[in-house]
Amino acid sequence: MSSKKIYIINGSPRKNWNTGKMCESFSNGAKSQNIETEIINLYDIDFKGCRSCFACKLKNGKNFGKCSYPDGITELLEKISMSDGLVLASPIYFGDITSSMRAFVERLMFPFFQYDNNGTTIAPKRLKTAIIYTMNVDKDYFFRDYLGSEKSDTLKNFEKFLGYVFNAPDIIYAFDTYQFSDYDKYLCERFDKIKKQKQREEQFPKDLEKAFEAGVKMAKEIK
Ligand SMILES: Cc1cc2nc3c(=O)[nH]c(=O)nc-3n(C[C@H](O)[C@H](O)[C@H](O)COP(=O)(O)O)c2cc1C
């Protein structure tokens, strides 16, 4: 095993569902290249988003450039910033990343984002990055209504800031995911049970394969 490491952040509350499985597959891809990985389940950690304390921007402050707010994520933020690769995996909630993932990126990235005239990043390492999105809607709907219109701004900004602070992300998608283990039990007229099942059996394995390949790619890049 090399000394290089990739952190994979699962921003879904469901550890072993669609997003979790995509994380696992990415991890297996990276591990196949002898790169260490660690999957972090954000919903296991007691933390909140940025408190706007600005200790990270205080001139000559002892915590300049880092988030020192003491809670369950502080130590991990430091470890991630010294790693080599970062994967942010999130289900789409109301056209955006989940609230936990949002809180996480505020804490991780804001200290590195300088308020100088050039908006310089002071991340100690320019980590390789990837994003995994999983969602209920299909590909056409996503690109038309989430990324092709005014609604798209939040996701585009998320991707832009990640690129700015670390490196432009590779993006892996799983569309049209299954949401329940038994569609008959829930009120869900909008989504066709048979179509979902077909997607789950035929398309999702291909999505997992894409995540695996992305893991291989990132591992090779950081080797
Ligand atoms: C609160 C909530 C909001 C959601 N909003 C959207 C949405 O706006 N668009 C969408 O395509 N899917 C939406 N979904 C569905 C999830 O994104 C999708 O099922 C995802 O794959 C779930 O990931 P998981 O299986 O890892 O939990 C929503 C789910 C929840 C629970």
Side-chain angles (χ1 to χ4, degrees), residues 47-52 67 69 71 99 102-104 106-107:
F47 77 105
K48 287 196 165 60
C50 175
R51 309 276 178 148
S52 203
C67 182
Y69 189 86
D71 65 9
S99 54
R102 167 69 54 193
F104 173 76
E106 286 172 10
R107 294 285 297 279

Side-chain angles (χ1 to χ4, degrees), residues 12 14 17-19 92-95 134 136-137 146 177 179:
S12 169
R14 304 194 295 182
W17 273 71
N18 298 287
T19 318
I92 294 293
Y93 281 7
F94 294 110
T134 77
N136 223 342
V137 297
Y146 291 175
T177 54
Q179 224 174 348

Side-chain angles (χ1 to χ4, degrees), residues 178 192-202:
Y178 61 99
D192 183 87
K193 168 176 119 174
I194 307 294
K195 192 171 158 269
K196 280 284 181 194
Q197 201 174 340
K198 193 166 181 293
Q199 182 78 2
R200 175 185 185 167
E201 284 163 10
E202 292 172 16

Side-chain angles (χ1 to χ4, degrees), residues 20-191:
K21 289 194 172 80
M22 291 288 279
C23 290
E24 196 66 48
S25 208
F26 190 105
S27 172
N28 289 338
K31 284 196 287 198
S32 75
Q33 302 301 308
N34 291 321
I35 294 289
E36 186 188 348
T37 64
E38 185 171 344
I39 297 176
I40 304 288
N41 289 296
L42 279 188
Y43 282 77
D44 282 348
I45 306 174
D46 190 11
F47 77 105
K48 287 196 165 60
C50 175
R51 309 276 178 148
S52 203
C53 70
F54 291 110
C56 64
K57 306 215 180 309
L58 183 68
K59 285 179 188 168
N60 302 317
K62 73 173 173 26
N63 291 313
F64 187 86
K66 63 178 182 185
C67 182
S68 55
Y69 189 86
D71 65 9
I73 206 133
T74 325
E75 223 174 275
L76 180 66
L77 295 174
E78 180 89 24
K79 286 185 190 161
I80 291 173
S81 70
M82 297 314 293
S83 71
D84 305 281
L86 174 66
V87 183
L88 301 178
S90 180
I92 294 293
Y93 281 7
F94 294 110
D96 205 346
I97 52 177
T98 59
S99 54
S100 282
M101 182 57 81
R102 167 69 54 193
F104 173 76
V105 295
E106 286 172 10
R107 294 285 297 279
L108 180 71
M109 299 205 297
F110 190 63
F112 301 145
F113 185 74
Q114 293 293 277
Y115 273 178
D116 62 8
N117 285 330
N118 304 318
T120 324
T121 175
I122 53 164
K125 289 174 82 176
R126 299 298 292 259
L127 313 182
K128 290 284 173 206
T129 66
I131 293 174
I132 295 172
Y133 293 128
T134 77
M135 73 202 79
N136 223 342
V137 297
D138 63 25
K139 188 176 178 180
D140 289 347
Y141 192 103
F142 178 75
F143 283 106
R144 188 182 62 235
D145 281 16
Y146 291 175
L147 281 181
S149 72
E150 288 167 17
K151 281 192 215 162
S152 65
D153 287 354
T154 51
L155 287 182
K156 275 190 189 153
N157 270 330
F158 167 54
E159 293 161 16
K160 189 178 79 184
F161 277 109
L162 188 61
Y164 207 55
V165 169
F166 296 117
N167 256 307
D170 275 345
I171 306 180
I172 308 113
Y173 302 93
F175 300 104
D176 210 358
T177 54
Y178 61 99
Q179 224 174 348
F180 322 108
S181 46
D182 183 350
Y183 270 72
D184 289 332
K185 283 190 185 161
Y186 301 90
L187 179 75
C188 189
E189 288 166 353
R190 275 184 65 186
F191 298 99

